[in-house]
Amino acid sequence: MANFKDIIGQKQAKEHFQTAIETGNISHAYIINGETGSGRRMLADAFAKALQCEKHPNADSCDGCKSCHQAESGNHPDIRYITHEKASISVDDIREQLNNDIQIKPYSSEHKVYIIPEANKMTEQAQNALLKTIEEPPAYAVIILLTDNLNALLPTIQSRCVRLDLKVVDDSLVKKYLMERLHVP
């Protein structure tokens, strides 16, 4: 799992999340919208990890505490991914993996983070089931919807979430990263 400092580009989105952590002004729901390969999942993972970090130096994760180690290994009890095996995310997926679980308080953290990759694949019924949770979330819940097609989400979902639009990372930044960090000629 990446840290904010490991993410190239996306300065505005990183600053938004880091400011939220520093001020304690965490929203209950976010939409991270961007093209495939723009870093949606990496940004969501970095935010979840930093939010759960026991120290959060500079509003990032420390990589040394128990919480960071759990996040790195994919075993953090308060970071959940809503998964699906079909072509779309059904109402049953939302009910079973989010709505039932969200009523259980965080195990070891102040927040419980739910990340929904490919949120644009939710059926309308699934979105309506999610909407009830977004409208009346427990204080500890943070829901992050990842999408490459914002228009596939209901307007009522969009209006109740903080929206972060990612831009394509400039080629020069990618080239610099590959050459300096990964030593690719």
Side-chain angles (χ1 to χ4, degrees):
M1 224 179 230
N3 297 348
F4 287 125
K5 66 180 180 274
D6 299 324
I7 299 173
I8 57 172
Q10 311 309 348
K11 182 179 180 189
Q12 185 179 9
K14 289 189 296 186
E15 286 177 353
H16 177 88
F17 282 135
Q18 289 180 299
T19 300
I21 291 170
E22 286 174 345
T23 62
N25 190 16
I26 312 296
S27 178
H28 67 286
Y30 294 91
I31 295 173
I32 302 177
N33 178 50
E35 294 180 22
T36 301
S38 61
R40 295 184 311 258
R41 174 71 180 257
M42 185 180 267
L43 191 60
D45 287 346
F47 178 55
K49 183 179 170 187
L51 192 58
Q52 304 297 21
C53 178
E54 296 163 13
K55 300 174 184 172
H56 16 260
N58 302 316
D60 206 344
S61 45
C62 72
D63 286 334
C65 68
K66 179 182 178 185
S67 183
C68 285
H69 289 293
Q70 288 177 317
E72 271 304 314
S73 67
N75 292 317
H76 198 291
D78 296 324
I79 299 175
R80 306 287 180 122
Y81 296 88
I82 307 304
T83 58
H84 61 97
E85 295 179 11
K86 301 172 282 307
S88 62
I89 301 172
S90 71
V91 67
D92 292 335
D93 294 326
I94 294 298
R95 284 185 180 141
E96 291 169 15
Q97 297 180 55
L98 191 140
N99 290 352
N100 291 341
D101 184 77
I102 206 163
Q103 301 308 320
I104 302 167
K105 292 188 178 187
Y107 176 73
S108 63
S109 307
E110 184 179 338
H111 299 282
K112 200 167 191 181
V113 181
Y114 294 89
I115 298 173
I116 305 177
E118 301 179 310
N120 49 291
K121 291 187 176 181
M122 284 189 290
T123 63
E124 187 172 338
Q125 294 83 5
Q127 290 185 56
N128 282 318
L130 174 65
L131 185 59
K132 184 176 183 329
T133 302
I134 288 177
E135 288 176 334
E136 300 171 14
Y140 51 78
V142 177
I143 301 168
I144 305 172
L145 307 173
L146 309 180
T147 184
D148 62 358
N149 181 6
L150 187 65
N151 295 327
L153 298 177
L154 294 172
T156 49
I157 296 251
Q158 293 181 43
S159 69
R160 287 161 177 79
C161 299
V162 172
R163 180 174 143 194
L164 300 169
D165 292 312
L166 303 186
K167 297 171 178 64
V168 175
V169 178
D170 187 73
D171 286 346
S172 63
L173 290 174
V174 174
K175 182 178 178 180
K176 181 179 177 183
Y177 176 83
L178 291 172
M179 291 173 66
E180 291 178 5
R181 293 243 186 118
L182 301 181
H183 307 291
V184 176

